[in-house]
Amino acid sequence: MYERTYYATHPDMMEGATNAQLRDRYLVPGLFRAGEIVLTYSHGERFVIGGAVPGATPLDLPVQSEPASAVGHPLLERRELGVVNIGRQPGRVTVDGEIVDLDRYEALYVPLGSRAVSFSGEGARFYLLSVPAHAPFPLRKMTLAEANPMQRGSLESSNDRTIYQLVLPHLCASASLCLGLTQLKPGSVWNTMPPHVHERRSEIYLYFDLEEDQRVFHYMGQPDDLRHIVVADGEAVISPPWSVHMGAGTSNYTFIWAMAGENQDYNDMDVCDLCQLR
C-alpha cells in the first residue's frame, strides 16, 4: 500500500550525511504517475503523502493493507485528508457518493470516517496529504478566491509571492491538518523569507509549476548548520520540527505547504535571523 516509509530523524543524523543520504531521508519523489495512486508514509506526525493521476478510469483511495491490524479498514477510518488539484485540467473527487469538482489549485478537505473516496478527470493531478484526526469536520471545498491571499516579499528581494491559506481554523476546520499554497511571481525565486522553524509541527513542501529543466534548492537543517536538497517538479520534501525550511529556485514556481502537530496556529514559528544562517 505504501510505496515508501520515512522514519523520524534526529538533527545529529545530518552531521556527515552525504547528499544521497539526505535525499533518501527527506525527499519524496515519484508521487505523480499516470493511472496510479502513489502513497508514502512518514513517521513525522504520521503524514501520508501521496498523488493520484487518473486517466480515463477513476482511481479509488485504497483500503489499508498494512499493518496487519489495519488490513481491510478504510484509510480514513482514523484520518483526515487534504486534496489539491495541481493539474492543468479540472478533476473530480467523489466522497461517499458526494461529487466535488476541483479546478486547478482548488482544494478539498475530506473528514475522518469517509469510506469511499475516488478521483477522476484526465489531465487532473491530485496531491494528497493525510494525518490522524480525533474528530470529523465538514467536507469543504476551498478556492483561491476564499483562501485569504497574503502578499509577502518584493521583487527587489527576489521573493515577491502570494500565500493562499486553504485549510486553517478560520477558513476550513480540521482536526490537525494545516494547508496552503504559495505562488512566486516571475523574477522571484526565494520562498519563506525570513526562514523559520516550527518546534511543535512537522511540515511538508511540494514544489511544482517548474519546467523540466528547472530546479529548486531546498534548504534544511538547523540554522547554524544548513544543508540543501535539489528538487525537481512534483517532488516533496519532509521538514522535521527541528529543521529550517526555505528554498530558492532557478525560476519562479508554486509550492504547497502542509503542517500537522500540536497546534494549528499559523503564526507559531521561530523566525531565524538571516545573519545567523550558515
Side-chain angles (χ1 to χ4, degrees), residues 14 197 219-227 242-245:
M14 299 286 285
V197 174
Y219 292 89
M220 64 173 302
Q222 295 184 304
D224 61 351
D225 191 16
L226 293 183
R227 300 291 298 275
W242 46 264
S243 178
V244 163
H245 37 280

Side-chain angles (χ1 to χ4, degrees), residues 37 39 59-63 75-76 81 115-119 128:
I37 290 181
L39 300 176
L59 298 172
D60 295 328
L61 194 67
V63 298
L75 180 63
L76 302 185
L81 172 69
R115 301 187 64 83
V117 182
S118 66
F119 307 91
L128 314 177

